[in-house]
Amino acid sequence: MILIHRLRGEPMFLNTDLIEFIESTPDTVITLADGRKLVVSDSPEEIVDRARLFRASVIVASDGLRDSQTMAPTLTLLPGTNES
């Protein structure tokens, strides 16, 4: 999940698997797989970058689990995930 912001600035988390497409009209509109639309203040480029970083972190974490079966998994926060 990634952090995005509604137009008024309220933070919310979005499951990136639900994104169908993102438009800039000039507001950023995210259309979900079920047809619902979210209007957010983040740019399409920011959303794509956060989704890409999130997916990369999942791959790195799963690779780390495979490499070290005795160590407990840890959560790594990526840059931009603690924005308000």
Side-chain angles (χ1 to χ4, degrees):
M1 298 185 81
I2 60 168
L3 178 66
I4 59 174
H5 300 88
R6 295 187 183 273
L7 284 181
R8 293 184 185 159
E10 300 97 348
M12 66 180 288
F13 287 91
L14 174 65
N15 181 344
T16 58
D17 293 333
L18 299 178
I19 297 174
E20 184 74 23
F21 55 90
I22 304 170
E23 301 173 272
S24 182
T25 64
D27 291 329
T28 302
V29 180
I30 303 171
T31 302
L32 304 179
D34 64 1
R36 289 182 295 161
K37 295 181 184 286
L38 300 171
V39 180
V40 298
S41 62
D42 308 279
S43 73
E45 294 80 14
E46 289 173 318
I47 297 167
V48 169
D49 285 344
R50 289 179 193 152
R52 182 180 50 79
L53 287 171
F54 170 72
R55 289 184 186 263
S57 74
V58 170
I59 292 169
V60 168
S62 66
D63 193 45
L65 289 174
R66 189 176 331 126
D67 290 344
S68 60
Q69 295 182 13
T70 59
M71 295 177 57
T74 59
L75 175 66
T76 303
L77 295 177
L78 298 172
T81 57
N82 59 353
E83 296 175 11
S84 56

